[in-house]
Amino acid sequence: MCGIVGYTGAGHAAHILLDGLERLEYRGYDSAGICVSDGEKSHMLKALRVKGRLQALRDATDNGDSVDGESGIGHTRWATHGEPTVENAHPHLSGGGKVAVVHNGIIENYADLRKTLEGRGYVFQSETDTETIAHLLDYYDKGDPIDAIVRTVMHLRGSFALGILFADRPGEVYGIRRDSPLIAATSESGNFIASDVPAILEWTRNVTYLDNMEIVCLKKDGISFYNMDGEKIEKEFTTVSWDIAAAEKGGYAHFMLKEIHEQPKAMADTIHPHVRDGRIVLDELGMTDEEIRAVRRIQMVACGSAWHVCMTAKYVMEQLAGIPVDVDLASEFRYRNPVLEEGTLLMVVSQSGETADSLAALRYGKAQGMLSLAIVNVVGSSIAREADRVFYTAAGPEIAVATTKAYSTQLAACDMLAIHFASVKGKLSEEEYHTLVDALLKLPEQISEILRGEARMQWLAGKYANTRDAFFIGRGLDYASVLEGALKLKEISYIHAEAYAAGELKHGTISLIEKGSMVLAVATQSELLEKEVSNIVEVHARGATLLALTFEGNYNMEDQADFTIYIPKTEDVLYPSLVVIPLQLLAYYVSLSRGIDVDKPRNLAKSVTVE
Ligand code: F6R
């Protein structure tokens, strides 16, 4: 949802900005731009903007060679206000070119601000909300940049992370944030601001996370921070554990394929630190057994795939721990005036930790007095900082727009919580407990085993790449899994795909099934197998091509299906972690066969920081 980067130092700014933007392109890729100050030479800001991918900006600047300067800001855009055109691309400059701004977020009152600024004689060049910020900064700039920034942001409603250059302050880059992420980083060759850690990993791992309404000023020889009273504040820097290799493709054709293959390690890294002597230990979470015993209900909120994780967790938590779980889409939760009983634990699941709807839902729940627990992948992200308790997944940076390894690790986190809660609540015998923990520990190797059969999924994908409609069906936990399977396929292959609880088809949707429709049925839940087979027979009889996904040994499925995919056996509640792997591979290879840019499907962006 737009990536911003800023740099000042001894290096060639344009090169550094372009490299940084390349690692943020997952956040938006419909236009891009940089603005560089040429230092003391002319006190001029030079901006270059293009429509389309970052490569177009590289082409327009001779890979950055043609833009001289040692400080600058850059932006890769996911359009909100105004179409993706050159005029709407960032950076935006104030009338006389005195100020340049890059922005991630949305200014809700931009129309009013625009009217006021036009009344003061400012002429707008774009349809964006961001241009109002450039003009406001210009209006308030009386020689003290911190004061100009403070006065400007006091007029802004909505969310923003800003990178700012003032033409008369060469070598300096400013930043501020509210509800959109911004980090600052320092290295021997210069200082940085960026939307996310991967942008700066090539140069440094020494970062600090800005809090809301903190201002950062980068100079070539140092970084300083200010509060809204213009007073200097101290910030602590930490060393991020991700290294540059984690943010590169490492020989894979796409980030998505690399991230699919990283799942055994990501799962092991998420599970192993929490299992000691065969027991799940969640000390880091800081939730006491007493707190867990007091949980009478769980309210889960998330968006997209993370919401599918919640749908899965509902089945697992209810089945194992006997705690009722409600699941809401984060964008719906706070607008439906939910009835929140005392003793309800709010659980928010988010890879980025910055998803605007999930963050807003967390704030809403906290304001109602709920204890909150977040499952987050990005350390220092807004949701991680604002939740009362945090369970960090160890997926490492996820770059492909379609989530894979973050999804798997979120499932693992929920499984561990469910087993642990069930144990604290006395719902599991020692034997049941150890059977589940042993099965959990086996998941990484079982995922590797499924990945070794990748070629079969590639072949299958080639065969069905021209399907127009795909239906994914399953019962119980398999229903939760097919929600994710259908989303994976549609978001990166553009094939119309729907997920249904298998028993629900005959209540309407079965009328869509005709000869050649592709139906993928997931059947892993032992108690529901017979019922699901009946549903499979129903669609097969209506001419659908049937692909079945089931566990090894369930060979009866071959009597009904045109093609059967097998996964290793595990405990019923853990199947979602294995089921999702072939579904991810299927989506990846179908997308590849259709010639789609797998990592950057149309209209999407990775971190959705607008509501
Ligand atoms: C789909 C996908 C999205 C995200 C959703 C939530 O492949 O990645 O549906 O799951 O946007 O994002 P996070 O987890 O960052 O809150």
Side-chain angles (χ1 to χ4, degrees):
M1 196 91 339
C2 298
I4 70 177
V5 59
Y7 168 78
T8 185
H12 184 91
H15 290 159
I16 292 170
L17 294 173
L18 288 170
D19 288 351
L21 288 178
E22 194 161 311
R23 299 187 199 290
L24 293 181
E25 223 188 348
Y26 67 87
R27 300 177 69 88
Y29 34 86
D30 57 40
S31 54
I34 53 172
C35 182
V36 169
S37 150
D38 67 356
E40 300 291 349
K41 276 190 205 155
S42 64
H43 286 206
M44 291 270 288
L45 298 178
K46 179 159 192 214
L48 268 138
R49 304 177 298 171
V50 296
K51 182 181 167 183
R53 301 276 165 98
L54 190 67
Q55 187 56 46
L57 188 61
R58 284 197 179 279
D59 295 343
T61 59
D62 205 4
N63 256 331
D65 286 352
S66 66
V67 189
D68 264 351
E70 293 179 347
S71 57
I73 50 178
H75 189 266
T76 176
R77 180 169 186 247
W78 185 83
T80 55
H81 293 73
E83 283 178 33
T85 59
V86 173
E87 292 72 32
N88 291 333
H90 300 211
H92 289 283
L93 273 73
S94 71
K98 264 174 61 190
V99 187
V101 178
V102 287
H103 168 213
N104 170 31
I106 283 192
I107 304 305
E108 286 160 6
N109 58 334
Y110 85 102
D112 291 343
L113 291 173
R114 185 173 174 134
K115 233 184 260 165
T116 312
L117 286 160
E118 280 171 341
R120 288 176 187 156
Y122 284 96
V123 179
F124 279 74
Q125 312 290 335
S126 76
E127 301 157 282
T128 64
D129 49 344
T130 306
E131 198 182 341
T132 56
I133 306 174
H135 294 316
L136 274 175
L137 282 164
D138 177 70
Y139 180 76
Y140 286 117
D141 181 19
K142 309 283 182 246
D144 177 351
I146 301 294
D147 183 63
I149 292 169
V150 169
R151 286 175 192 277
T152 296
V153 298
M154 282 199 312
H155 291 277
L156 305 181
R157 276 210 317 270
S159 60
F160 50 81
L162 304 175
I164 305 163
L165 292 181
F166 293 93
D168 59 359
R169 305 192 77 88
E172 294 178 15
V173 176
Y174 292 82
I176 183 168
R177 75 173 282 250
R178 181 168 72 208
D179 291 348
S180 291
L182 193 65
I183 60 163
T186 173
S187 78
E188 279 179 6
S189 57
N191 298 311
F192 303 81
I193 51 170
S195 299
D196 199 358
V197 168
I200 50 88
L201 281 179
E202 197 175 331
W203 303 281
T204 178
R205 284 160 60 189
N206 194 20
V207 307
T208 187
Y209 302 87
L210 262 76
D211 276 321
N212 273 344
M213 306 312 265
E214 286 179 349
I215 301 166
V216 54
C217 165
L218 308 181
K219 291 189 181 165
K220 292 191 175 186
D221 55 358
I223 303 190
S224 34
F225 301 92
Y226 300 84
N227 63 19
M228 286 292 282
D229 294 322
E231 296 158 350
K232 260 196 173 183
I233 53 171
E234 294 300 320
K235 296 277 301 170
E236 215 172 287
F237 278 76
T238 51
T239 307
V240 290
S241 56
W242 298 352
D243 63 16
I244 186 66
E248 287 179 342
K249 280 191 208 149
Y252 284 92
H254 294 97
F255 278 110
M256 182 174 176
L257 189 60
K258 175 180 175 243
E259 288 162 6
I260 288 174
H261 279 270
E262 282 172 344
Q263 288 178 110
K265 181 176 183 313
M267 288 288 276
D269 290 350
T270 301
I271 297 168
H272 288 166
H274 298 292
V275 181
R276 273 173 239 149
D277 301 327
R279 297 208 79 84
I280 292 177
V281 181
L282 298 177
D283 288 352
E284 274 167 40
L285 208 65
M287 251 186 114
T288 61
D289 286 0
E290 211 165 294
E291 265 177 339
I292 294 171
R293 278 190 212 101
V295 174
R296 297 221 308 261
R297 209 176 182 89
I298 296 177
Q299 170 69 60
M300 298 191 80
V301 287
C303 304
S305 293
W307 179 75
H308 300 155
V309 169
C310 299
M311 292 295 284
T312 310
K314 174 182 167 68
Y315 285 90
V316 181
M317 187 63 92
E318 290 188 343
Q319 208 162 307
L320 297 183
I323 305 174
V325 180
D326 296 311
V327 179
D328 270 55
L329 291 163
S331 54
E332 290 293 317
F333 174 61
R334 72 208 146 107
Y335 298 113
R336 72 169 173 87
N337 294 323
V339 180
L340 303 169
E341 292 164 24
E342 219 188 300
T344 304
L345 173 69
L346 176 67
M347 276 176 68
V348 182
V349 182
S350 175
Q351 186 282 129
S352 61
E354 298 293 349
T355 302
D357 286 315
S358 304
L359 180 60
L362 169 66
R363 287 180 180 162
Y364 177 88
K366 282 188 73 176
Q368 311 298 309
M370 295 169 86
L371 178 69
S372 58
L373 162 60
I375 297 176
V376 179
N377 193 42
V378 178
V379 176
S381 57
S382 302
I383 292 175
R385 280 186 291 168
E386 293 190 28
D388 300 311
R389 309 277 186 269
V390 185
F391 189 127
Y392 281 112
T393 50
E398 194 179 61
I399 311 287
V401 163
T403 182
T404 52
K405 61 176 179 168
Y407 178 85
S408 290
T409 56
Q410 288 165 350
L411 285 182
C414 289
D415 290 337
M416 280 190 276
L417 285 166
I419 299 170
H420 184 64
F421 279 30
S423 157
V424 172
K425 288 204 169 233
K427 300 279 180 180
L428 291 175
S429 68
E430 272 299 288
E431 195 190 336
E432 287 167 328
Y433 181 84
H434 287 297
T435 306
L436 283 167
V437 174
D438 289 351
L440 188 74
L441 289 167
K442 278 196 197 124
L443 289 175
E445 176 46 32
Q446 290 180 315
I447 293 173
S448 297
E449 193 182 325
I450 299 172
L451 289 172
R452 287 194 282 275
E454 180 176 357
R456 215 165 123 81
M457 294 312 296
Q458 184 171 6
W459 171 83
L460 190 68
K463 212 162 142 53
Y464 294 105
N466 292 322
T467 301
R468 205 186 51 176
D469 301 299
F471 298 88
F472 287 68
I473 61 171
R475 280 176 170 261
L477 265 171
D478 291 333
Y479 167 53
S481 296
V482 296
L483 288 167
E484 177 62 4
L487 177 61
K488 280 288 87 82
L489 184 68
K490 65 185 134 189
E491 71 179 328
I492 59 169
S493 75
Y494 314 151
I495 291 173
H496 166 238
E498 305 226 22
Y500 276 91
E504 188 60 19
L505 271 186
K506 56 185 167 298
H507 297 288
T509 316
I510 201 161
S511 65
L512 291 172
I513 306 287
E514 55 187 10
K515 198 167 168 8
S517 306
M518 187 187 110
V519 177
L520 193 149
V522 177
T524 66
Q525 299 298 294
S526 44
E527 304 253 299
L528 298 167
L529 281 181
E530 279 182 15
K531 297 233 179 301
E532 177 140 2
V533 169
S534 313
N535 302 135
I536 289 173
V537 172
E538 286 157 16
V539 286
H540 213 191
R542 283 157 182 86
T545 302
L546 204 110
L547 313 182
L549 198 166
T550 190
F551 52 83
E552 277 156 10
N554 187 21
Y555 301 118
N556 295 341
M557 212 45 95
E558 297 200 3
D559 299 339
Q560 317 299 338
D562 297 291
F563 190 91
T564 309
I565 305 154
Y566 292 103
I567 53 172
K569 273 189 162 171
T570 184
E571 293 300 304
D572 271 13
V573 288
L574 299 182
Y575 272 118
S577 293
L578 302 182
V579 165
V580 73
I581 310 297
L583 300 182
Q584 294 167 348
L585 288 169
L586 181 71
Y588 173 78
Y589 282 111
V590 168
S591 174
L592 203 65
S593 307
R594 291 166 70 94
I596 290 166
D597 184 345
V598 182
D599 284 338
K600 299 188 192 101
R602 69 186 176 206
N603 305 338
L604 286 170
K606 181 129 191 100
S607 177
V608 185
T609 51
V610 294
E611 283 182 41

